[in-house]
Amino acid sequence: MPIIVVEVMPKPELLDPAGKAVAGTLNRLGKGEFSGVRIGKRIELHVDGDVTDAVLADVRELADELLSNSVIEDVVSITVADEVTA
Amino acid sequence: MRVGVITFPGSLDDRDAQRAIRLAGAEPVALWHGEHDLHGVDAIVLPGGFSYGDYLRCGAIAARSPIMAEVIDAANAGMPVLGICNGFQILVESHLLPGGLIHNDHGNFICRDQKLRVENASTAWTNAFTDGQEITIPLKNGEGGYIANDETLDRLEGEGLVAFRYLDGNPNGSLRDIAGLTNARGNVVGLMPHPEHAVEPGFGPDTDIAMRSGIDGLAFFRSVLESSLSRA
């Protein structure tokens, strides 16, 4: 079954509290080489049937309107994978 | 006896835990997550709440906070450590107890008085109970579903490390109805329900006798006093 993977990240200029908390922990653990952490979302849509242009167009629209909020987030990628990984 | 209660950013039951310790007859000591100092306490409580916003995973960042290095060393040396709710999640993320805690299977936060069976009454935090005793204390969490692989679950059951089991309905999808665990030595105990909210008549769960009269949680804190006296 094909899956469409949508990745969403918080906008770079906005505060990402989760990323900041993890960055603080890395720093405490002595991992100073990592100067920043940002945490986003990977969303897997399991597709019943073929991934047609129409389905992809649909996902692009959903990514903008439901899966992300363009005020605070960016859709950074929409890719198609052949197999369900998990 | 001095019992430390660690406050993390986002802890919210630290004061209640301190109060429970006082009512049980011990001296509560406030400890701070950012220090590397246990201030000479004899036992430690990791209280409930939402440490560090529970970012990444519940308890994951708190488990790597400065004071946890000392807590892990002390726990491995035999000091009694009790993790309540978020404290249980921190113990699991610190690998002091096995498994993991995930979102409740029904997807909702749950808050209710919860009946439990004490499955192991020989730990530092349960010795004032009897094996098989049924108790009722409050439960309130969104991510209380206990999970582990079958091998771990079989080992926990076989070695008597399941400390508490949910009765009258599994509130969150925890495997084998597990509400709380102990380590093999019996000094580290973690559970999702909240004993510190059932320690004083008028403020605990309802009982058959009177409203809000349940104080089943007090025995957790009396147990640790008892275990320290018997060691002395």
Side-chain angles (χ1 to χ4, degrees):
Chain A
M1 188 187 286
I3 58 172
I4 300 174
V5 180
V6 179
E7 290 182 326
V8 177
M9 290 296 291
K11 283 191 184 294
E13 66 271 27
L14 296 184
L15 173 68
D16 167 20
K20 216 175 163 187
V22 173
T25 298
L26 289 176
N27 193 38
R28 254 198 325 277
L29 295 175
K31 306 291 180 189
E33 66 271 36
F34 304 111
S35 57
V37 177
R38 298 189 72 77
I39 298 179
K41 295 174 189 151
R42 172 190 167 102
I43 301 160
E44 295 185 353
L45 302 170
H46 299 204
V47 185
D48 236 357
D50 296 330
V51 179
T52 61
D53 287 347
V55 170
L56 271 176
D58 219 16
V59 169
R60 272 185 218 108
E61 198 177 316
L62 281 170
D64 288 338
E65 291 182 2
L66 172 70
L67 303 179
S68 72
N69 174 350
S70 63
V71 177
I72 56 172
E73 294 169 317
D74 294 321
V75 176
V76 294
S77 74
I78 298 176
T79 52
V80 182
D82 287 338
E83 294 292 325
V84 174
T85 50
Chain B
M1 181 185 205
R2 301 169 75 241
V3 182
V5 179
I6 300 174
T7 298
F8 298 91
S11 295
L12 53 82
D13 292 318
D14 43 344
R15 299 290 289 273
D16 288 53
Q18 291 173 19
R19 181 168 151 274
I21 289 160
R22 196 176 304 117
L23 287 167
E27 180 194 342
V29 178
L31 300 177
W32 183 241
H33 71 105
E35 292 188 351
H36 280 287
D37 190 351
L38 298 179
H39 292 269
V41 296
D42 306 297
I44 296 165
V45 174
L46 305 181
F50 302 89
S51 56
Y52 292 89
D54 279 340
Y55 292 128
L56 209 55
R57 297 175 306 280
C58 291
I61 295 180
R64 280 101 183 152
S65 62
I67 203 169
M68 284 306 293
E70 280 69 28
V71 172
I72 290 166
D73 286 348
N76 287 330
M79 184 184 287
V81 178
L82 175 67
I84 302 167
C85 196
N86 194 217
F88 183 22
Q89 294 165 337
I90 295 168
L91 288 177
V92 165
E93 282 286 348
S94 304
H95 308 297
L96 286 171
L97 294 172
L101 290 146
I102 61 170
H103 276 284
N104 297 342
D105 59 353
H106 45 74
N108 294 321
F109 192 95
I110 190 167
C111 180
R112 73 181 194 198
D113 293 341
Q114 178 66 45
K115 201 166 168 188
L116 306 172
R117 185 166 58 234
V118 181
E119 300 282 16
N120 183 336
S122 55
T123 78
W125 299 94
T126 60
N127 60 66
F129 295 113
T130 54
D131 279 332
Q133 187 175 341
E134 296 184 3
I135 63 172
T136 301
I137 58 177
L139 173 77
K140 44 164 193 160
N141 65 67
E143 300 185 37
Y146 182 75
I147 57 155
N149 60 28
D150 285 339
E151 190 189 335
T152 304
L153 291 168
D154 289 343
R155 184 177 63 81
L156 290 171
E157 303 264 14
E159 296 177 8
L161 304 182
V162 177
F164 303 95
R165 229 184 280 269
Y166 295 115
L167 290 182
D168 294 350
N170 185 326
N172 48 30
S174 289
L175 298 179
R176 314 234 181 142
D177 298 335
I178 290 172
L181 298 174
T182 174
N183 66 349
R185 194 167 180 171
N187 63 307
V188 178
V189 171
L191 77 167
M192 287 312 297
H194 288 261
E196 80 282 18
H197 295 325
V199 293
E200 187 176 5
F203 302 93
D206 293 345
T207 69
D208 293 340
I209 300 159
M211 278 175 65
R212 307 191 196 287
S213 64
I215 55 166
D216 287 344
L218 200 55
F220 286 74
F221 305 98
R222 291 211 167 123
S223 293
V224 78
L225 255 179
E226 188 58 40
S227 66
S228 88
L229 292 176
S230 64
R231 267 206 317 274

